[in-house]
Amino acid sequence: MAKQASHPIWLYPNITLRRVIYPLAVAGISAIFAAVVLRQYLQRRRPYQLIWMLALLMSALASAVYVLALPPTSNAVAFRLYYALGAALMPAWLGLGSIFLVAPRRLAEVTLAALVNVGALGAGAVFAAPLDATALARLNGGPGTGVLQPGLWLPLTIALNTFGVLAVVGVAAYTGLRGGGRRLLLANALIAAGDLVVGVAGSMARTGRPELFWTTMLAGWVVIFAGFLLTQPAAQPTGSRPGSAPSSQPRLAAPSGRRPVA
């Protein structure tokens, strides 16, 4: 049998723009977000900035390779990579960054060691799980529910997601409620709300609306990025002297260059 010619996925008439544009939009905003946090890490060398940057790169890569998992390519390796990075590892590493932001160093390092081991086990389970090729061939812009057969990857993914969401939302709420003004409170509220939206995006399949998965993901990342931008220092009024801000100004629980209140 002659080998079928390979063509770019966008040349196929049955690949609608909607199925591609939202994953690529998520990949784009995640990559921009990662570049901003990387710049801050290079300036300040805070461990939580590096961890957040890695998590954002996971989101960008997972969203990009998802496009390769769509039919007609239906690439199984691409789908497993999308699931391992986006569903299992990325939420947990976002949460790990939050832990490094507020927790004592020893506790943060123990959490890192545990996450590395559990995350490696979860990613390995994703790549070892039986895959339903028919379900993969029918992937139509949803999260891919039913493509991987139930196995060890499922409880591990649930555990990693739960840890990530609780850590991000918990730290954002803790920091926002400690004071610092309306801007800080709004910023942390947006970060917490956006992370919750990203965390529940997969439920779109269970509610019978899998086509809303990527639009929900995009909305969540936009809200998180908006919250992050609010954590950046406001421009000083004309004529103000550098360093004139009160020394008691609270530090932020978002990927800015500041450290949390001790």
Side-chain angles (χ1 to χ4, degrees):
M1 180 182 295
K3 184 178 180 180
Q4 185 179 4
S6 176
H7 300 288
I9 193 169
W10 54 81
L11 294 182
Y12 288 85
N14 61 324
I15 299 298
T16 62
L17 184 62
R18 177 184 58 81
R19 292 166 57 187
V20 176
I21 191 65
Y22 289 114
L24 293 183
V26 172
I29 193 171
S30 299
I32 293 170
F33 202 165
V36 173
V37 178
L38 175 60
R39 183 183 65 180
Q40 294 184 344
Y41 171 73
L42 294 176
Q43 293 171 345
R44 301 176 179 92
R45 303 289 178 172
R46 305 298 185 194
Y48 66 85
Q49 294 170 331
L50 178 61
I51 294 170
W52 265 320
M53 186 271 296
L54 292 174
L56 291 164
L57 286 180
M58 290 178 190
S59 173
L61 181 57
S63 304
V65 298
Y66 173 87
V67 175
L68 298 177
L70 289 169
T73 53
S74 299
N75 189 292
V77 174
F79 181 86
R80 293 181 189 276
L81 186 60
Y82 143 74
Y83 222 90
L85 290 177
L89 297 180
M90 180 276 293
W93 280 80
L94 279 179
L96 180 65
S98 295
I99 296 297
F100 265 83
L101 186 63
V102 300
R105 188 60 177 265
R106 177 59 180 166
L107 176 59
E109 290 175 348
V110 170
T111 306
L112 169 62
L115 179 59
V116 167
N117 285 282
V118 176
L121 184 60
V126 167
F127 275 88
L131 184 144
D132 187 336
T134 301
L136 180 59
R138 293 174 179 171
L139 188 62
N140 190 29
T145 304
V147 175
L148 294 177
Q149 300 301 298
L152 180 61
W153 65 270
L154 183 56
L156 290 174
T157 298
I158 293 173
L160 290 167
N161 271 267
T162 302
F163 163 77
V165 171
L166 289 178
V168 172
V169 174
V171 169
Y174 166 77
T175 307
L177 293 175
R178 290 198 66 175
R182 294 179 180 178
R183 183 184 178 95
L184 177 60
L185 181 61
L186 177 59
N188 282 280
L190 288 174
I191 292 169
D195 192 67
L196 285 172
V197 171
V198 170
V200 303
S203 66
M204 296 298 101
R206 293 188 291 274
T207 60
R209 301 300 300 273
E211 71 278 4
L212 297 180
F213 171 71
W214 283 107
T215 55
T216 305
M217 286 284 290
L218 179 59
W221 280 114
V222 168
V223 172
I224 293 173
F225 202 8
F228 162 75
L229 293 176
L230 280 177
T231 69
Q232 305 308 292
Q236 290 185 342
T238 304
S240 63
R241 293 181 295 105
S244 60
S247 60
S248 61
Q249 182 179 6
R251 297 172 178 139
L252 310 181
S256 67
R258 306 178 184 180
R259 289 176 293 177
V261 177

